[in-house]
PDB file of all heavy atoms in Angstrom:
ATOM      1  N   GLU A 228     -62.947   8.841-120.312  1.00  0.00           N
ATOM      2  CA  GLU A 228     -63.573   9.679-121.286  1.00  0.00           C
ATOM      3  C   GLU A 228     -62.771   9.654-122.573  1.00  0.00           C
ATOM      4  O   GLU A 228     -63.312   9.550-123.717  1.00  0.00           O
ATOM      5  CB  GLU A 228     -63.815  11.071-120.779  1.00  0.00           C
ATOM      6  CG  GLU A 228     -64.903  11.143-119.809  1.00  0.00           C
ATOM      7  CD  GLU A 228     -65.088  12.626-119.199  1.00  0.00           C
ATOM      8  OE1 GLU A 228     -64.243  13.470-119.466  1.00  0.00           O
ATOM      9  OE2 GLU A 228     -65.975  12.757-118.318  1.00  0.00           O
ATOM     10  N   ARG A 229     -61.423   9.743-122.475  1.00  0.00           N
ATOM     11  CA  ARG A 229     -60.553   9.780-123.669  1.00  0.00           C
ATOM     12  C   ARG A 229     -60.640   8.392-124.329  1.00  0.00           C
ATOM     13  O   ARG A 229     -60.775   8.363-125.561  1.00  0.00           O
ATOM     14  CB  ARG A 229     -59.054  10.062-123.317  1.00  0.00           C
ATOM     15  CG  ARG A 229     -58.815  11.627-122.996  1.00  0.00           C
ATOM     16  CD  ARG A 229     -57.435  11.978-122.860  1.00  0.00           C
ATOM     17  NE  ARG A 229     -56.677  11.214-121.879  1.00  0.00           N
ATOM     18  CZ  ARG A 229     -56.451  11.718-120.692  1.00  0.00           C
ATOM     19  NH1 ARG A 229     -56.780  12.878-120.350  1.00  0.00           N
ATOM     20  NH2 ARG A 229     -55.835  10.943-119.751  1.00  0.00           N
ATOM     21  N   LYS A 230     -60.645   7.411-123.580  1.00  0.00           N
ATOM     22  CA  LYS A 230     -60.748   6.037-124.039  1.00  0.00           C
ATOM     23  C   LYS A 230     -61.985   5.765-124.859  1.00  0.00           C
ATOM     24  O   LYS A 230     -62.099   5.254-125.947  1.00  0.00           O
ATOM     25  CB  LYS A 230     -60.604   4.995-122.975  1.00  0.00           C
ATOM     26  CG  LYS A 230     -60.483   3.595-123.373  1.00  0.00           C
ATOM     27  CD  LYS A 230     -60.216   2.675-122.154  1.00  0.00           C
ATOM     28  CE  LYS A 230     -60.069   1.192-122.625  1.00  0.00           C
ATOM     29  NZ  LYS A 230     -59.793   0.395-121.486  1.00  0.00           N
ATOM     30  N   GLU A 231     -63.106   6.261-124.291  1.00  0.00           N
ATOM     31  CA  GLU A 231     -64.392   6.215-124.865  1.00  0.00           C
ATOM     32  C   GLU A 231     -64.420   7.134-126.182  1.00  0.00           C
ATOM     33  O   GLU A 231     -64.971   6.667-127.248  1.00  0.00           O
ATOM     34  CB  GLU A 231     -65.507   6.712-123.940  1.00  0.00           C
ATOM     35  CG  GLU A 231     -65.776   5.847-122.751  1.00  0.00           C
ATOM     36  CD  GLU A 231     -66.365   4.381-123.273  1.00  0.00           C
ATOM     37  OE1 GLU A 231     -67.095   4.384-124.220  1.00  0.00           O
ATOM     38  OE2 GLU A 231     -65.954   3.464-122.589  1.00  0.00           O
ATOM     39  N   GLN A 232     -63.770   8.270-126.204  1.00  0.00           N
ATOM     40  CA  GLN A 232     -63.707   9.089-127.466  1.00  0.00           C
ATOM     41  C   GLN A 232     -62.930   8.358-128.465  1.00  0.00           C
ATOM     42  O   GLN A 232     -63.259   8.355-129.658  1.00  0.00           O
ATOM     43  CB  GLN A 232     -63.103  10.450-127.081  1.00  0.00           C
ATOM     44  CG  GLN A 232     -63.949  11.292-126.278  1.00  0.00           C
ATOM     45  CD  GLN A 232     -63.282  12.611-125.918  1.00  0.00           C
ATOM     46  OE1 GLN A 232     -62.024  12.748-126.005  1.00  0.00           O
ATOM     47  NE2 GLN A 232     -64.025  13.545-125.352  1.00  0.00           N
ATOM     48  N   ARG A 233     -61.837   7.626-128.101  1.00  0.00           N
ATOM     49  CA  ARG A 233     -60.994   6.904-129.116  1.00  0.00           C
ATOM     50  C   ARG A 233     -61.865   5.846-129.696  1.00  0.00           C
ATOM     51  O   ARG A 233     -61.802   5.550-130.833  1.00  0.00           O
ATOM     52  CB  ARG A 233     -59.685   6.377-128.431  1.00  0.00           C
ATOM     53  CG  ARG A 233     -58.651   7.402-128.316  1.00  0.00           C
ATOM     54  CD  ARG A 233     -57.407   6.816-127.913  1.00  0.00           C
ATOM     55  NE  ARG A 233     -57.262   6.129-126.713  1.00  0.00           N
ATOM     56  CZ  ARG A 233     -56.897   6.525-125.569  1.00  0.00           C
ATOM     57  NH1 ARG A 233     -56.327   7.728-125.540  1.00  0.00           N
ATOM     58  NH2 ARG A 233     -56.965   5.863-124.430  1.00  0.00           N
ATOM     59  N   LYS A 234     -62.553   5.120-128.755  1.00  0.00           N
ATOM     60  CA  LYS A 234     -63.418   3.955-129.265  1.00  0.00           C
ATOM     61  C   LYS A 234     -64.445   4.598-130.235  1.00  0.00           C
ATOM     62  O   LYS A 234     -64.757   3.986-131.312  1.00  0.00           O
ATOM     63  CB  LYS A 234     -64.194   3.281-128.125  1.00  0.00           C
ATOM     64  CG  LYS A 234     -63.336   2.369-127.287  1.00  0.00           C
ATOM     65  CD  LYS A 234     -64.102   1.719-126.167  1.00  0.00           C
ATOM     66  CE  LYS A 234     -63.256   0.912-125.278  1.00  0.00           C
ATOM     67  NZ  LYS A 234     -64.024   0.259-124.234  1.00  0.00           N
ATOM     68  N   ALA A 235     -65.089   5.676-129.907  1.00  0.00           N
ATOM     69  CA  ALA A 235     -66.074   6.292-130.771  1.00  0.00           C
ATOM     70  C   ALA A 235     -65.462   6.780-132.090  1.00  0.00           C
ATOM     71  O   ALA A 235     -66.052   6.419-133.199  1.00  0.00           O
ATOM     72  CB  ALA A 235     -66.773   7.527-130.125  1.00  0.00           C
ATOM     73  N   ALA A 236     -64.271   7.190-131.992  1.00  0.00           N
ATOM     74  CA  ALA A 236     -63.584   7.648-133.292  1.00  0.00           C
ATOM     75  C   ALA A 236     -63.306   6.372-134.102  1.00  0.00           C
ATOM     76  O   ALA A 236     -63.412   6.438-135.307  1.00  0.00           O
ATOM     77  CB  ALA A 236     -62.316   8.388-132.942  1.00  0.00           C
ATOM     78  N   LYS A 237     -62.816   5.277-133.540  1.00  0.00           N
ATOM     79  CA  LYS A 237     -62.565   4.062-134.328  1.00  0.00           C
ATOM     80  C   LYS A 237     -63.835   3.368-134.862  1.00  0.00           C
ATOM     81  O   LYS A 237     -63.905   3.047-136.000  1.00  0.00           O
ATOM     82  CB  LYS A 237     -61.885   2.999-133.350  1.00  0.00           C
ATOM     83  CG  LYS A 237     -60.499   3.282-133.068  1.00  0.00           C
ATOM     84  CD  LYS A 237     -59.822   2.145-132.161  1.00  0.00           C
ATOM     85  CE  LYS A 237     -58.431   2.437-131.857  1.00  0.00           C
ATOM     86  NZ  LYS A 237     -57.895   1.307-131.074  1.00  0.00           N
ATOM     87  N   ARG A 238     -64.941   3.588-134.126  1.00  0.00           N
ATOM     88  CA  ARG A 238     -66.225   3.095-134.704  1.00  0.00           C
ATOM     89  C   ARG A 238     -66.685   3.909-135.885  1.00  0.00           C
ATOM     90  O   ARG A 238     -67.164   3.439-136.898  1.00  0.00           O
ATOM     91  CB  ARG A 238     -67.276   3.135-133.575  1.00  0.00           C
ATOM     92  CG  ARG A 238     -67.225   1.993-132.581  1.00  0.00           C
ATOM     93  CD  ARG A 238     -68.402   1.958-131.725  1.00  0.00           C
ATOM     94  NE  ARG A 238     -68.227   0.897-130.751  1.00  0.00           N
ATOM     95  CZ  ARG A 238     -68.291   1.181-129.314  1.00  0.00           C
ATOM     96  NH1 ARG A 238     -68.546   2.268-128.860  1.00  0.00           N
ATOM     97  NH2 ARG A 238     -68.135   0.155-128.589  1.00  0.00           N
ATOM     98  N   ALA A 239     -66.543   5.264-135.726  1.00  0.00           N
ATOM     99  CA  ALA A 239     -66.819   6.143-136.737  1.00  0.00           C
ATOM    100  C   ALA A 239     -65.979   5.878-138.084  1.00  0.00           C
ATOM    101  O   ALA A 239     -66.481   5.874-139.219  1.00  0.00           O
ATOM    102  CB  ALA A 239     -66.763   7.570-136.365  1.00  0.00           C
ATOM    103  N   ALA A 240     -64.689   5.547-137.886  1.00  0.00           N
ATOM    104  CA  ALA A 240     -63.854   5.339-138.931  1.00  0.00           C
ATOM    105  C   ALA A 240     -64.278   3.856-139.612  1.00  0.00           C
ATOM    106  O   ALA A 240     -64.289   3.889-140.762  1.00  0.00           O
ATOM    107  CB  ALA A 240     -62.380   5.304-138.439  1.00  0.00           C
ATOM    108  N   ALA A 241     -64.639   3.029-138.767  1.00  0.00           N
ATOM    109  CA  ALA A 241     -64.984   1.680-139.284  1.00  0.00           C
ATOM    110  C   ALA A 241     -66.365   1.822-140.107  1.00  0.00           C
ATOM    111  O   ALA A 241     -66.558   1.312-141.145  1.00  0.00           O
ATOM    112  CB  ALA A 241     -65.192   0.775-138.076  1.00  0.00           C
ATOM    113  N   HIS A 242     -67.201   2.689-139.500  1.00  0.00           N
ATOM    114  CA  HIS A 242     -68.512   2.923-140.234  1.00  0.00           C
ATOM    115  C   HIS A 242     -68.195   3.623-141.575  1.00  0.00           C
ATOM    116  O   HIS A 242     -68.819   3.118-142.565  1.00  0.00           O
ATOM    117  CB  HIS A 242     -69.386   3.823-139.442  1.00  0.00           C
ATOM    118  CG  HIS A 242     -70.145   3.062-138.328  1.00  0.00           C
ATOM    119  ND1 HIS A 242     -71.190   2.039-138.687  1.00  0.00           N
ATOM    120  CD2 HIS A 242     -70.130   3.196-136.991  1.00  0.00           C
ATOM    121  CE1 HIS A 242     -71.659   1.647-137.488  1.00  0.00           C
ATOM    122  NE2 HIS A 242     -71.044   2.265-136.545  1.00  0.00           N
ATOM    123  N   ALA A 243     -67.293   4.571-141.574  1.00  0.00           N
ATOM    124  CA  ALA A 243     -66.957   5.301-142.790  1.00  0.00           C
ATOM    125  C   ALA A 243     -66.311   4.338-143.794  1.00  0.00           C
ATOM    126  O   ALA A 243     -66.635   4.431-144.995  1.00  0.00           O
ATOM    127  CB  ALA A 243     -66.118   6.460-142.482  1.00  0.00           C
ATOM    128  N   GLU A 244     -65.470   3.418-143.341  1.00  0.00           N
ATOM    129  CA  GLU A 244     -64.715   2.571-144.083  1.00  0.00           C
ATOM    130  C   GLU A 244     -65.758   1.545-144.736  1.00  0.00           C
ATOM    131  O   GLU A 244     -65.722   1.210-145.883  1.00  0.00           O
ATOM    132  CB  GLU A 244     -63.742   1.826-143.426  1.00  0.00           C
ATOM    133  CG  GLU A 244     -62.841   0.933-144.359  1.00  0.00           C
ATOM    134  CD  GLU A 244     -61.769   0.326-143.414  1.00  0.00           C
ATOM    135  OE1 GLU A 244     -61.167   0.957-142.555  1.00  0.00           O
ATOM    136  OE2 GLU A 244     -61.511  -0.876-143.639  1.00  0.00           O
ATOM    137  N   ALA A 245     -66.831   1.109-143.975  1.00  0.00           N
ATOM    138  CA  ALA A 245     -67.799   0.189-144.449  1.00  0.00           C
ATOM    139  C   ALA A 245     -68.691   0.833-145.420  1.00  0.00           C
ATOM    140  O   ALA A 245     -69.103   0.301-146.421  1.00  0.00           O
ATOM    141  CB  ALA A 245     -68.608  -0.319-143.281  1.00  0.00           C
ATOM    142  N   ASP A 246     -69.016   2.166-145.169  1.00  0.00           N
ATOM    143  CA  ASP A 246     -69.822   2.894-146.182  1.00  0.00           C
ATOM    144  C   ASP A 246     -69.064   3.106-147.504  1.00  0.00           C
ATOM    145  O   ASP A 246     -69.696   3.166-148.488  1.00  0.00           O
ATOM    146  CB  ASP A 246     -70.202   4.294-145.578  1.00  0.00           C
ATOM    147  CG  ASP A 246     -71.202   4.063-144.448  1.00  0.00           C
ATOM    148  OD1 ASP A 246     -71.897   3.100-144.378  1.00  0.00           O
ATOM    149  OD2 ASP A 246     -71.362   5.049-143.700  1.00  0.00           O
ATOM    150  N   ALA A 247     -67.737   3.299-147.397  1.00  0.00           N
ATOM    151  CA  ALA A 247     -66.884   3.516-148.648  1.00  0.00           C
ATOM    152  C   ALA A 247     -66.974   2.351-149.518  1.00  0.00           C
ATOM    153  O   ALA A 247     -66.926   2.409-150.767  1.00  0.00           O
ATOM    154  CB  ALA A 247     -65.600   3.866-148.265  1.00  0.00           C
ATOM    155  N   PHE A 248     -67.152   1.166-148.916  1.00  0.00           N
ATOM    156  CA  PHE A 248     -67.106  -0.113-149.668  1.00  0.00           C
ATOM    157  C   PHE A 248     -68.457  -0.605-149.998  1.00  0.00           C
ATOM    158  O   PHE A 248     -68.633  -1.689-150.587  1.00  0.00           O
ATOM    159  CB  PHE A 248     -66.255  -1.263-149.165  1.00  0.00           C
ATOM    160  CG  PHE A 248     -64.813  -0.876-149.170  1.00  0.00           C
ATOM    161  CD1 PHE A 248     -64.092  -0.565-147.977  1.00  0.00           C
ATOM    162  CD2 PHE A 248     -64.090  -0.920-150.287  1.00  0.00           C
ATOM    163  CE1 PHE A 248     -62.820  -0.217-147.892  1.00  0.00           C
ATOM    164  CE2 PHE A 248     -62.718  -0.592-150.293  1.00  0.00           C
ATOM    165  CZ  PHE A 248     -62.103  -0.335-149.143  1.00  0.00           C
ATOM    166  N   ASP A 249     -69.528   0.057-149.557  1.00  0.00           N
ATOM    167  CA  ASP A 249     -70.936  -0.351-149.636  1.00  0.00           C
ATOM    168  C   ASP A 249     -71.171  -1.779-149.146  1.00  0.00           C
ATOM    169  O   ASP A 249     -71.875  -2.576-149.651  1.00  0.00           O
ATOM    170  CB  ASP A 249     -71.367  -0.266-151.053  1.00  0.00           C
ATOM    171  CG  ASP A 249     -71.424   1.156-151.618  1.00  0.00           C
ATOM    172  OD1 ASP A 249     -71.793   2.024-150.756  1.00  0.00           O
ATOM    173  OD2 ASP A 249     -71.266   1.295-152.776  1.00  0.00           O
ATOM    174  N   GLU A 250     -70.438  -2.026-148.002  1.00  0.00           N
ATOM    175  CA  GLU A 250     -70.604  -3.236-147.320  1.00  0.00           C
ATOM    176  C   GLU A 250     -71.565  -3.008-146.026  1.00  0.00           C
ATOM    177  O   GLU A 250     -71.602  -2.003-145.492  1.00  0.00           O
ATOM    178  CB  GLU A 250     -69.356  -3.905-146.806  1.00  0.00           C
ATOM    179  CG  GLU A 250     -68.382  -4.191-147.941  1.00  0.00           C
ATOM    180  CD  GLU A 250     -67.046  -4.749-147.411  1.00  0.00           C
ATOM    181  OE1 GLU A 250     -66.846  -4.821-146.192  1.00  0.00           O
ATOM    182  OE2 GLU A 250     -66.176  -5.011-148.165  1.00  0.00           O
ATOM    183  N   PRO A 251     -72.368  -4.111-145.701  1.00  0.00           N
ATOM    184  CA  PRO A 251     -73.037  -4.041-144.456  1.00  0.00           C
ATOM    185  C   PRO A 251     -72.123  -3.948-143.298  1.00  0.00           C
ATOM    186  O   PRO A 251     -71.125  -4.449-143.212  1.00  0.00           O
ATOM    187  CB  PRO A 251     -73.892  -5.331-144.359  1.00  0.00           C
ATOM    188  CG  PRO A 251     -73.248  -6.207-145.284  1.00  0.00           C
ATOM    189  CD  PRO A 251     -72.410  -5.394-146.338  1.00  0.00           C
ATOM    190  N   TYR A 252     -72.442  -3.039-142.318  1.00  0.00           N
ATOM    191  CA  TYR A 252     -71.574  -2.957-141.188  1.00  0.00           C
ATOM    192  C   TYR A 252     -71.783  -4.065-140.206  1.00  0.00           C
ATOM    193  O   TYR A 252     -72.794  -4.555-140.058  1.00  0.00           O
ATOM    194  CB  TYR A 252     -72.095  -1.644-140.365  1.00  0.00           C
ATOM    195  CG  TYR A 252     -71.160  -1.312-139.173  1.00  0.00           C
ATOM    196  CD1 TYR A 252     -69.882  -0.860-139.396  1.00  0.00           C
ATOM    197  CD2 TYR A 252     -71.557  -1.579-137.908  1.00  0.00           C
ATOM    198  CE1 TYR A 252     -69.031  -0.731-138.308  1.00  0.00           C
ATOM    199  CE2 TYR A 252     -70.864  -1.303-136.935  1.00  0.00           C
ATOM    200  CZ  TYR A 252     -69.515  -0.946-137.122  1.00  0.00           C
ATOM    201  OH  TYR A 252     -68.556  -0.624-136.031  1.00  0.00           O
ATOM    202  N   ASP A 253     -70.538  -4.581-139.680  1.00  0.00           N
ATOM    203  CA  ASP A 253     -70.452  -5.820-138.826  1.00  0.00           C
ATOM    204  C   ASP A 253     -69.989  -5.359-137.495  1.00  0.00           C
ATOM    205  O   ASP A 253     -68.816  -4.778-137.390  1.00  0.00           O
ATOM    206  CB  ASP A 253     -69.504  -6.831-139.492  1.00  0.00           C
ATOM    207  CG  ASP A 253     -69.572  -8.172-138.630  1.00  0.00           C
ATOM    208  OD1 ASP A 253     -70.402  -8.240-137.765  1.00  0.00           O
ATOM    209  OD2 ASP A 253     -68.658  -8.897-138.948  1.00  0.00           O
ATOM    210  N   ASP A 254     -70.767  -5.438-136.492  1.00  0.00           N
ATOM    211  CA  ASP A 254     -70.435  -5.123-135.020  1.00  0.00           C
ATOM    212  C   ASP A 254     -69.271  -5.941-134.600  1.00  0.00           C
ATOM    213  O   ASP A 254     -68.426  -5.497-133.777  1.00  0.00           O
ATOM    214  CB  ASP A 254     -71.576  -5.198-134.183  1.00  0.00           C
ATOM    215  CG  ASP A 254     -72.626  -4.029-134.340  1.00  0.00           C
ATOM    216  OD1 ASP A 254     -72.084  -2.948-134.834  1.00  0.00           O
ATOM    217  OD2 ASP A 254     -73.794  -4.141-134.033  1.00  0.00           O
ATOM    218  N   GLU A 255     -69.147  -7.141-134.988  1.00  0.00           N
ATOM    219  CA  GLU A 255     -68.154  -8.014-134.614  1.00  0.00           C
ATOM    220  C   GLU A 255     -66.796  -7.517-134.962  1.00  0.00           C
ATOM    221  O   GLU A 255     -65.759  -7.503-134.344  1.00  0.00           O
ATOM    222  CB  GLU A 255     -68.350  -9.429-134.934  1.00  0.00           C
ATOM    223  CG  GLU A 255     -69.396 -10.118-134.240  1.00  0.00           C
ATOM    224  CD  GLU A 255     -69.660 -11.560-134.802  1.00  0.00           C
ATOM    225  OE1 GLU A 255     -68.816 -12.048-135.448  1.00  0.00           O
ATOM    226  OE2 GLU A 255     -70.802 -12.149-134.392  1.00  0.00           O
ATOM    227  N   LEU A 256     -66.746  -7.011-136.278  1.00  0.00           N
ATOM    228  CA  LEU A 256     -65.606  -6.462-136.796  1.00  0.00           C
ATOM    229  C   LEU A 256     -65.064  -5.262-135.967  1.00  0.00           C
ATOM    230  O   LEU A 256     -63.989  -4.951-135.787  1.00  0.00           O
ATOM    231  CB  LEU A 256     -65.781  -6.075-138.354  1.00  0.00           C
ATOM    232  CG  LEU A 256     -64.590  -5.349-139.066  1.00  0.00           C
ATOM    233  CD1 LEU A 256     -63.488  -6.288-139.104  1.00  0.00           C
ATOM    234  CD2 LEU A 256     -65.049  -4.830-140.395  1.00  0.00           C
ATOM    235  N   ASP A 257     -66.195  -4.426-135.530  1.00  0.00           N
ATOM    236  CA  ASP A 257     -65.945  -3.312-134.695  1.00  0.00           C
ATOM    237  C   ASP A 257     -65.152  -3.665-133.452  1.00  0.00           C
ATOM    238  O   ASP A 257     -64.201  -3.030-132.994  1.00  0.00           O
ATOM    239  CB  ASP A 257     -67.255  -2.516-134.427  1.00  0.00           C
ATOM    240  CG  ASP A 257     -67.004  -1.084-133.943  1.00  0.00           C
ATOM    241  OD1 ASP A 257     -65.980  -0.560-134.256  1.00  0.00           O
ATOM    242  OD2 ASP A 257     -67.992  -0.658-133.325  1.00  0.00           O
ATOM    243  N   ASP A 258     -65.684  -4.750-132.760  1.00  0.00           N
ATOM    244  CA  ASP A 258     -65.061  -5.227-131.497  1.00  0.00           C
ATOM    245  C   ASP A 258     -63.703  -5.641-131.736  1.00  0.00           C
ATOM    246  O   ASP A 258     -62.740  -5.430-130.952  1.00  0.00           O
ATOM    247  CB  ASP A 258     -65.892  -6.341-130.950  1.00  0.00           C
ATOM    248  CG  ASP A 258     -67.184  -5.857-130.411  1.00  0.00           C
ATOM    249  OD1 ASP A 258     -67.233  -4.667-130.102  1.00  0.00           O
ATOM    250  OD2 ASP A 258     -68.197  -6.673-130.249  1.00  0.00           O
ATOM    251  N   ASP A 259     -63.334  -6.382-132.894  1.00  0.00           N
ATOM    252  CA  ASP A 259     -62.043  -6.806-133.224  1.00  0.00           C
ATOM    253  C   ASP A 259     -61.083  -5.503-133.420  1.00  0.00           C
ATOM    254  O   ASP A 259     -59.922  -5.593-132.924  1.00  0.00           O
ATOM    255  CB  ASP A 259     -62.043  -7.611-134.523  1.00  0.00           C
ATOM    256  CG  ASP A 259     -62.727  -8.955-134.318  1.00  0.00           C
ATOM    257  OD1 ASP A 259     -62.828  -9.373-133.200  1.00  0.00           O
ATOM    258  OD2 ASP A 259     -63.079  -9.594-135.380  1.00  0.00           O
ATOM    259  N   LEU A 260     -61.593  -4.531-134.001  1.00  0.00           N
ATOM    260  CA  LEU A 260     -60.775  -3.378-134.205  1.00  0.00           C
ATOM    261  C   LEU A 260     -60.400  -2.577-132.866  1.00  0.00           C
ATOM    262  O   LEU A 260     -59.394  -2.114-132.664  1.00  0.00           O
ATOM    263  CB  LEU A 260     -61.529  -2.329-135.121  1.00  0.00           C
ATOM    264  CG  LEU A 260     -61.495  -2.572-136.695  1.00  0.00           C
ATOM    265  CD1 LEU A 260     -62.357  -1.630-137.319  1.00  0.00           C
ATOM    266  CD2 LEU A 260     -60.140  -2.683-137.199  1.00  0.00           C
ATOM    267  N   LEU A 261     -61.366  -2.758-131.916  1.00  0.00           N
ATOM    268  CA  LEU A 261     -61.148  -2.063-130.664  1.00  0.00           C
ATOM    269  C   LEU A 261     -60.167  -2.716-129.801  1.00  0.00           C
ATOM    270  O   LEU A 261     -59.449  -2.264-129.038  1.00  0.00           O
ATOM    271  CB  LEU A 261     -62.517  -1.853-129.944  1.00  0.00           C
ATOM    272  CG  LEU A 261     -63.455  -0.886-130.411  1.00  0.00           C
ATOM    273  CD1 LEU A 261     -64.831  -0.894-129.688  1.00  0.00           C
ATOM    274  CD2 LEU A 261     -62.961   0.550-130.438  1.00  0.00           C
ATOM    275  N   HIS A 262     -60.156  -4.073-129.956  1.00  0.00           N
ATOM    276  CA  HIS A 262     -59.149  -4.792-129.166  1.00  0.00           C
ATOM    277  C   HIS A 262     -57.770  -4.914-129.640  1.00  0.00           C
ATOM    278  O   HIS A 262     -56.816  -5.321-128.975  1.00  0.00           O
ATOM    279  CB  HIS A 262     -59.736  -6.330-128.963  1.00  0.00           C
ATOM    280  CG  HIS A 262     -60.977  -6.311-128.246  1.00  0.00           C
ATOM    281  ND1 HIS A 262     -61.047  -5.831-126.850  1.00  0.00           N
ATOM    282  CD2 HIS A 262     -62.285  -6.681-128.416  1.00  0.00           C
ATOM    283  CE1 HIS A 262     -62.184  -5.991-126.412  1.00  0.00           C
ATOM    284  NE2 HIS A 262     -63.054  -6.547-127.368  1.00  0.00           N
TER     285      HIS A 262
END
């Protein structure tokens, strides 16, 4: 559960970062960040 929460937080941060730059969100980038 903690691992899933960290992943969700990283995804939320990646979404927020993508929104800040007005770029389309890339799921592959999300997977790279998680690994």
Side-chain angles (χ1 to χ4, degrees):
E228 288 173 359
R229 284 192 300 259
K230 190 175 182 180
E231 291 296 322
Q232 288 173 353
R233 283 192 298 260
K234 284 181 183 180
K237 284 182 182 181
R238 282 191 185 121
H242 280 293
E244 190 176 317
D246 288 342
F248 292 110
D249 290 329
E250 295 176 1
Y252 183 73
D253 185 10
D254 284 335
E255 290 178 13
L256 179 64
D257 198 23
D258 289 338
D259 290 341
L260 286 174
L261 289 176
H262 291 300

